[in-house]
Amino acid sequence: MAERDRPHIVVPTPPSAEPFTLAGPGGGGDKPAFLGNRKAHGTRLTSELETAWTPPVEEDTEPKGTYVTFASFPGLELALESLESHRSGSQPELVAVQEEATPAGLVCNATVFIPEGKKAFFLKKLEQYMSTAEATDGNPRNATLIEGIASIRRATIRELWTDPADEFPADRTQPRWWEIWLRKTDGKEQQRLAEYARHHDLRTSDHYLGFGDRTVILMQATAEQLAMTFHSIDDIAELRRPHEVSSFVPGLSASEQREWVRDLQSRVDHAEVGAPVVCILDRGVQAGHPLLDDSLASDDLHAVETSWRKDITIHPHGTEMAGLALYGDLHEAIASTHRVQLGHRLESVKILPDSGDNDPDVYGAVTARAVDQPEITDRDRSRVFMLAVTAPAAAPNPGSNVQDRPKQESGKPTAWSATVDALAFGRAIDDTAAKFTYLDRDEEPTPRLFVISAGNIRDIQAKDDHLDRSDAEAVEDPSQSWNALTVGAYAEHDAMDHAPDIFRGYVPVARRGELSPTSRTSVSFDHKRWPFKPDVVAPGGNLARTPDGTGVDTPENLATLTTRMQRPGEGFFTTTRDTSAATARVAAIAADIRMVYPHLRPETVRALVVHSAEWTDAMWSRIDAAPTKKDAVNLLRRYGMGVPSLERATRSASNALTLVDEAVIHPYEREGQSSSGKAREMNFHQLPWPIQELSELGETRVRLRVTLSYFVEPNPSSRGWTGRYIYSSHGLRFAMKRPEDSIDAFRQRINKQARDGGQKPLTLNTETGWLFGRDQQTAAGSLHTDIWTGAAVDLASKEAVAVYPVAGWWKNRPHMDKSSDGVNYSLVVSIEAPEVDVDLWTPVAQQIATVVEV
């Protein structure tokens, strides 16, 4: 491969937009015929609704409505959007959806809050159904809704529990913390709950969070007390299990190396004030460390609470992360004899107190406040927010194999992960009360880049198959965030030659280049709903088994060198490991990309990090051996796209060209203010392309890589995750011209509106040559990437890319749709010809220069 000594080429011309309708195969599954007596079915449901409306006991207060649960027949879907009214004012509202596995199939339980006086909304639907039950066309009115309902019952707090059913507290008398999602009605819902809690001696969290149509707060109560709250307050929409953040373990000892510190200090050129920063959201950073001090100003130390000390911390984790976030590979910097030029600086925000047993909190609100602190000081500074603090997801049974386990609910968004998504999308932080944080969507979005650790497995056993164990353990909250760059860890070393004597005879758990034994994955996620995580992996250390194979330990030679928090009599260095260390390394890369290309968007920086990643030989051997594309995609949920490289992320070579194209698209439109919209436009990118040079290479094997990156606005309430309740505000996908297509044929293949009236539809099946194909290109998430390998002469004819919208909740919510403002996305395309000495970069650069000159 030629030397990477050239900048990436940023495409200056915007794509052309054209009216768009997705060209799909059409059709769909037929709804099963209703085999029962329709009139009897409607009569029974009417009776059940009347019973559900009547409270079982006399209530202390006069409720303003009733919670009713509609259960589906096994294996059938409920028409969720028909369960609520979309008119303004006080109307029936779908608040929570559960899925329950039964021997007969999946049952959907949808709970609706029906305001007083609005029972007729459902009674009318039932009456219309029964009056047309004998319709000659076999399709009575409201049949899709009514014939999907198996039963109707009055809801309890169990129906509002949207975490896994087996996590609902069995002991109704044991006080515990509950995450309560409140319906947003008049803006006083939190006040009502807080007053109720004070009156009944119940504790609430220090912070609460508002975004969209929900407010999230924690309350400590028994299940019985919560049930009484539910009977007294009409504002509750959902109940979830609060997550507690992981505790930190101090770093392992390392020998004192004062000479190393002095030598490195003499060779370091720190970045100027105003350079990009890695903003570390942790438990504080010790600024006085001699290797950090010149890159971390006192004004860049912050804390969520004004009463906390900003400049002092008793926890080492943040300081350890700072060394890696600043230097990347600190060991390489120390071992080198060359000057070290730092391209970015550091900021620190303390997000947890130094001491005390902390009650659970609304960490989404804490994170938003943490982001706000440095932005108040300098809102326009170029930042990468780094978060290596996670909350454990629900733990599966460690003894079972991942293939035998049901898909975990841990891929589901939480208040914390949704907050990260909202902040990344660019929502403003509006503090309307001392402890209340509201994410305002009225201001112009200002996107942010978050780099988050995938979380660690903390109880590794010697008997574990570490890959099976990692596949079974889902990434921790909030790293399932769609917009964040999530980082896993891989084992950079497996040699024990330099291990301390105490570890002689120990055997590394993972071979070099394989996933770290402590790193988590998204293999257990519902693949249709949730993105693949991690996005990339970075060095995070390794473990070693004892000589007798009965235990595991953490030898320092398999860990990563970093800065030690200074204590009297201790050295300047320590070792660290796991996904925290990996996250800091990737945050450093992202910040340096922002230094090299200061005008690129956060979405683009994320794309360049992922686009630069390569799998190690150990990872490639498994991906290459995957029997199907689906199996290969599954490995993406273990390794992400591999190990990123600052060099590949920032520099092209003569025979390795990278194009960066930033654009705007308007996803949806509607006629008037109808409740449902449709796709509005497709963007057509005709890229500057080295057609002649590729054609002359003939059958030479070349590689094409495409990455599409954008941020979505979240919708985190558990109301079915389909239609108007889907999590992402919008979705985008890319398609690339095939060698056999003309430009017009390519447009017609993707866009139904580009076809003539009687034209035969063209197949949408993925062409050969793509590593992952449609299983990845159309997967959930806000980042899509794939690799094509084939003959250079074929690549010469693939110069066009289409980017088009797919489903999102904006489409079905006209009053919240921001499509008219346009949404940003970034397209990164690379061409590599590693087998030959050919200049692909210059002819494309000349095309760009001509465009700019004109």
Side-chain angles (χ1 to χ4, degrees):
M1 180 68 70
E3 182 181 357
R4 289 186 175 268
D5 57 357
R6 310 179 184 205
H8 295 332
I9 295 177
V10 179
V11 179
T13 53
S16 59
E18 59 184 64
F20 174 73
T21 300
L22 180 62
D30 294 331
K31 177 179 175 288
F34 186 75
L35 302 178
N37 183 305
R38 282 174 165 152
K39 197 158 189 175
H41 178 64
T43 301
R44 178 175 61 82
L45 292 183
T46 301
S47 175
E48 291 179 352
L49 178 61
E50 295 286 0
T51 301
W53 192 258
T54 305
V57 294
E58 190 68 27
E59 296 180 337
D60 296 335
T61 59
E62 294 184 8
K64 298 178 181 178
T66 302
Y67 289 85
V68 174
T69 296
F70 298 80
S72 75
F73 286 101
L76 292 183
E77 295 182 357
L78 285 175
L80 295 175
E81 295 192 28
S82 298
L83 287 173
E84 66 178 3
S85 173
H86 307 310
R87 297 179 179 177
S88 59
S90 180
Q91 299 290 338
E93 177 186 354
L94 178 66
V95 295
V97 174
Q98 300 172 329
E99 290 182 343
E100 176 187 359
T102 71
L106 202 65
V107 170
C108 178
N109 296 316
T111 299
V112 179
F113 175 74
I114 307 175
E116 191 69 30
K118 297 297 180 179
K119 180 177 60 170
F121 174 81
F122 291 102
L123 290 176
K124 184 177 180 180
K125 289 179 180 291
L126 286 162
E127 289 169 2
Q128 290 173 338
Y129 173 79
M130 289 186 290
S131 66
T132 57
E134 306 302 328
T136 56
D137 61 0
N139 189 27
R141 293 187 65 179
N142 306 316
T144 301
L145 170 65
I146 305 302
E147 292 178 0
I149 300 173
S151 64
I152 301 175
R153 63 181 183 271
R154 190 180 184 88
T156 67
I157 60 172
R158 291 298 298 263
E159 277 72 40
L160 299 187
W161 180 262
T162 56
D163 275 337
D166 59 2
E167 291 183 23
F168 189 88
D171 188 346
R172 295 181 59 85
T173 61
Q174 175 66 36
R176 64 188 68 247
W177 287 95
W178 306 77
E179 185 176 277
I180 301 177
W181 292 55
L182 302 174
R183 300 166 47 243
K184 187 177 180 181
T185 53
D186 57 2
K188 298 180 180 179
E189 47 278 346
Q190 185 277 337
Q191 179 182 343
R192 284 190 288 272
L193 181 64
E195 289 177 354
Y196 180 92
R198 283 194 296 270
H199 183 71
H200 292 83
D201 296 323
L202 303 175
R203 297 170 63 193
T204 57
S205 57
D206 285 341
H207 298 89
Y208 56 104
L209 172 72
F211 52 90
D213 55 2
R214 293 292 183 263
T215 300
V216 184
I217 188 171
L218 305 189
M219 187 172 77
Q220 189 180 48
T222 66
E224 292 179 350
Q225 289 170 327
L226 186 65
M228 293 302 298
T229 307
F230 175 62
H231 289 314
S232 303
I233 294 180
D234 290 328
D235 300 313
I236 300 176
E238 286 184 60
L239 301 172
R240 300 189 189 182
R241 175 180 64 90
H243 291 171
E244 299 184 33
V245 299
S246 308
S247 60
F248 302 128
V249 180
L252 304 174
S253 62
S255 59
E256 298 183 20
Q257 295 291 341
R258 184 179 296 273
E259 303 80 23
W260 290 3
V261 171
R262 290 172 178 167
D263 175 69
L264 182 55
Q265 280 182 301
S266 70
R267 292 185 288 109
V268 172
D269 295 320
H270 291 268
E272 297 292 331
V273 174
V277 295
V278 174
C279 184
I280 303 172
L281 310 181
D282 211 289
R283 299 191 93 159
V285 174
Q286 187 182 54
H289 194 289
L291 294 181
L292 306 176
D293 197 30
D294 289 333
S295 288
L296 180 56
S298 59
D299 289 343
D300 292 332
L301 297 170
H302 306 277
V304 169
E305 298 293 342
T306 57
S307 60
W308 297 351
R309 289 288 300 268
K310 304 174 185 178
D311 56 336
I312 294 178
T313 178
I314 64 172
H315 294 277
H317 190 263
T319 304
E320 294 171 5
M321 296 304 101
L324 298 173
L326 183 62
Y327 292 92
D329 188 339
L330 183 58
H331 182 271
E332 181 181 357
I334 290 172
S336 170
T337 59
H338 304 293
R339 295 205 66 78
V340 176
Q341 177 64 59
L342 298 178
H344 62 276
R345 298 175 61 84
L346 297 177
E347 286 179 335
S348 168
V349 184
K350 186 183 289 188
I351 63 173
L352 294 170
D354 285 326
S355 59
D357 295 328
N358 307 314
D359 291 329
D361 208 339
V362 180
Y363 293 112
V366 173
T367 302
R369 288 174 176 267
V371 166
D372 199 34
Q373 294 301 311
E375 289 188 344
I376 290 173
T377 303
D378 188 347
R379 188 166 298 277
D380 296 327
R381 196 171 192 180
S382 180
R383 291 183 175 85
V384 174
F385 290 99
M386 177 203 148
L387 180 64
V389 179
T390 58
N397 175 11
S400 61
N401 189 283
V402 65
Q403 285 82 8
D404 300 328
R405 302 179 188 179
K407 299 297 182 185
Q408 294 183 54
E409 291 290 332
S410 47
K412 186 177 73 171
T414 63
W416 195 1
S417 72
T419 299
V420 171
D421 281 334
L423 293 171
F425 182 74
R427 289 297 166 226
I429 301 159
D430 180 17
D431 290 331
T432 56
K435 296 293 184 179
F436 177 48
T437 304
Y438 179 70
L439 299 183
D440 189 358
R441 66 190 309 268
D442 292 330
E443 295 189 22
E444 183 73 19
T446 304
R448 305 172 178 91
L449 179 60
F450 283 83
V451 183
I452 300 181
S453 64
N456 306 313
I457 303 170
R458 298 171 181 81
D459 58 344
I460 296 291
Q461 304 296 316
K463 68 179 187 307
D464 288 341
D465 179 305
H466 82 89
L467 290 177
D468 281 351
R469 182 71 191 277
S470 290
D471 286 351
E473 301 283 3
V475 298
E476 295 186 318
D477 193 23
S479 61
Q480 73 273 38
S481 159
W482 286 43
N483 295 337
L485 182 58
T486 302
V487 183
Y490 84 101
E492 191 178 25
H493 305 293
D494 63 357
M496 298 296 291
D497 299 346
H498 302 290
D501 290 340
I502 192 173
F503 293 113
R504 295 299 179 189
Y506 278 61
V507 179
V509 171
R511 65 171 172 138
R512 182 164 56 93
E514 188 51 271
L515 193 73
S516 172
T518 60
S519 192
R520 290 171 173 265
T521 72
S522 62
V523 173
S524 61
F525 280 14
D526 183 330
H527 295 189
K528 293 182 179 179
R529 289 181 178 175
W530 314 127
F532 75 85
K533 296 289 177 176
D535 298 290
V536 294
V537 294
N542 201 349
L543 301 179
R545 288 189 178 89
T546 56
D548 62 3
T550 60
V552 293
D553 214 324
T554 55
E556 292 180 4
N557 61 295
L558 299 181
T560 299
L561 187 72
T562 190
T563 45
R564 174 193 285 274
M565 191 177 77
Q566 296 290 279
R567 294 189 178 99
E570 294 185 349
F572 298 94
F573 301 101
T574 186
T575 53
T576 188
R577 61 185 69 246
D578 301 333
T579 59
S580 294
T583 301
R585 295 277 289 266
V586 173
I589 292 174
D592 281 340
I593 295 173
R594 302 212 75 169
M595 183 271 294
V596 175
Y597 299 106
H599 298 105
L600 292 183
R601 301 166 179 164
E603 300 96 323
T604 311
V605 176
R606 178 179 71 155
L608 286 170
V609 172
V610 175
H611 197 82
S612 76
E614 299 277 3
W615 295 292
T616 65
D617 290 343
M619 299 171 193
W620 247 122
S621 65
R622 296 186 184 276
I623 292 172
D624 194 44
T628 66
K629 290 187 184 297
K630 185 170 290 188
D631 293 312
V633 170
N634 214 36
L635 290 169
L636 268 182
R637 294 182 173 274
R638 177 191 291 174
Y639 303 123
M641 289 302 293
V643 184
S645 159
L646 177 61
E647 182 183 39
R648 289 194 298 269
T650 55
R651 308 299 288 176
S652 289
S654 60
N655 64 346
L657 162 72
T658 294
L659 295 167
V660 178
D661 200 348
E662 295 186 325
V664 175
I665 193 170
H666 304 82
Y668 312 118
E669 64 181 355
R670 54 183 48 81
E671 296 179 2
Q673 287 297 314
S674 63
S675 60
S676 182
K678 61 180 182 179
R680 172 172 169 175
E681 65 186 14
M682 174 186 86
N683 276 356
F684 188 80
H685 297 256
Q686 193 151 5
L687 299 171
W689 210 247
I691 296 175
Q692 180 178 339
E693 289 73 17
L694 288 170
S695 298
E696 291 174 353
L697 290 178
E699 296 300 317
T700 302
R701 302 287 286 177
V702 293
R703 188 171 83 152
L704 166 76
R705 186 164 182 168
V706 182
T707 299
L708 172 66
S709 173
Y710 55 98
F711 291 161
V712 300
E713 184 181 10
N715 175 34
S717 55
S718 296
R719 287 183 277 184
W721 311 113
T722 59
R724 63 186 282 107
Y725 316 112
I726 199 170
Y727 179 72
S728 57
S729 54
H730 61 287
L732 301 179
R733 300 293 185 265
F734 74 85
M736 197 154 198
K737 178 177 173 291
R738 301 181 183 185
E740 67 270 21
D741 282 342
S742 66
I743 292 296
D744 284 343
F746 171 55
R747 292 173 57 248
Q748 292 163 7
R749 189 184 300 278
I750 304 302
N751 185 3
K752 194 173 183 179
Q753 292 196 42
R755 299 174 182 175
D756 295 332
Q759 191 172 16
K760 183 179 179 180
L762 301 169
T763 177
L764 290 174
N765 293 335
T766 307
E767 66 175 314
T768 59
W770 290 101
L771 180 59
F772 299 115
R774 290 183 64 83
D775 283 340
Q776 158 58 10
Q777 293 175 11
T778 63
S782 62
L783 189 144
H784 311 278
T785 185
D786 206 349
I787 299 169
W788 179 91
T789 305
V793 67
D794 289 338
L795 183 56
S797 302
K798 290 179 64 64
E799 76 280 13
V801 180
V803 175
Y804 57 91
V806 293
W809 61 264
W810 280 359
K811 176 176 175 285
N812 299 303
R813 294 188 176 187
H815 300 294
M816 302 181 76
D817 184 6
K818 298 289 185 178
S819 291
S820 60
D821 297 336
V823 290
N824 296 334
Y825 69 87
S826 304
L827 189 66
V828 180
V829 179
S830 291
I831 303 171
E832 295 184 9
E835 299 177 4
V836 292
D837 183 12
V838 60
D839 188 356
L840 303 174
W841 187 91
T842 299
V844 174
Q846 290 172 342
Q847 294 178 49
I848 296 297
T850 302
V851 170
V852 172
E853 184 178 345
V854 171

